[in-house]
Amino acid sequence: AEETWRVGAETLKSIWLLLRGEGRRDEIGGPLRIAALSGQVAAAGVAQLISFIAVLSVNLGLLNLLPIPVLDGGHLVFYALEAVWRRPVPKRVQELGLKAGLMLILALFVFATWNDLDSLGILKWVSRLFG
């Protein structure tokens, strides 16, 4: 429980620093970096792999709770607004929020994948191939 709390606090701190422009953008990784790290951690042993999976689960869980409409946190915001207003959020507002949230998540996915390709040296390889 203490380790989960520590990992969660570090994750939130990193997100806050990124939002303020003080974090390192090259630390954002996507599926390729997760796969590469999984292989490295698995080679270190089962205990390290289980710990890595736990850290990854906490990170993904916290990211899912961000108040972005397409994520669970965004739905919770809509529910809270509905509770305060005592009526549902207008469908048009929900639709626009979901579209904006989806665009944000897709942009983050593209950025993370770009970082993955860069950190794995694939971008340099492609550049040398065509350049």
Side-chain angles (χ1 to χ4, degrees):
E2 288 176 12
E3 185 67 12
T4 301
W5 183 263
R6 187 191 67 73
V7 168
E10 285 295 318
T11 300
L12 292 175
K13 180 181 174 186
S14 296
I15 292 170
W16 178 248
L17 289 174
L18 283 169
L19 290 174
R20 292 179 49 189
E22 298 173 11
R24 292 183 42 208
R25 292 180 299 229
D26 62 340
E27 291 180 352
I28 297 174
L32 298 175
R33 190 174 301 180
I34 291 171
L37 286 173
S38 296
Q40 293 171 5
V41 172
V46 174
Q48 287 81 1
L49 181 61
I50 291 172
S51 178
F52 177 73
I53 292 169
V55 167
L56 192 60
S57 295
V58 170
N59 282 329
L60 291 175
L62 285 173
L63 289 175
N64 192 38
L65 289 175
L66 290 176
I68 299 172
V70 77
L71 301 176
D72 288 339
H75 291 292
L76 292 174
V77 170
F78 284 144
Y79 296 145
L81 291 172
E82 185 175 332
V84 170
W85 293 343
R86 299 200 188 281
R87 60 182 166 83
V89 175
K91 290 286 184 197
R92 184 72 178 139
V93 173
Q94 289 183 37
E95 289 172 8
L96 290 173
L98 290 173
K99 287 178 183 178
L102 182 60
M103 293 304 294
L104 182 64
I105 295 298
L106 288 174
L108 180 62
F109 179 76
V110 168
F111 181 75
T113 302
W114 184 269
N115 275 353
D116 289 351
L117 294 172
D118 187 38
S119 70
L120 295 172
I122 296 172
L123 292 178
K124 289 179 184 173
W125 179 79
V126 170
S127 173
R128 284 193 309 261
L129 188 64
F130 292 108

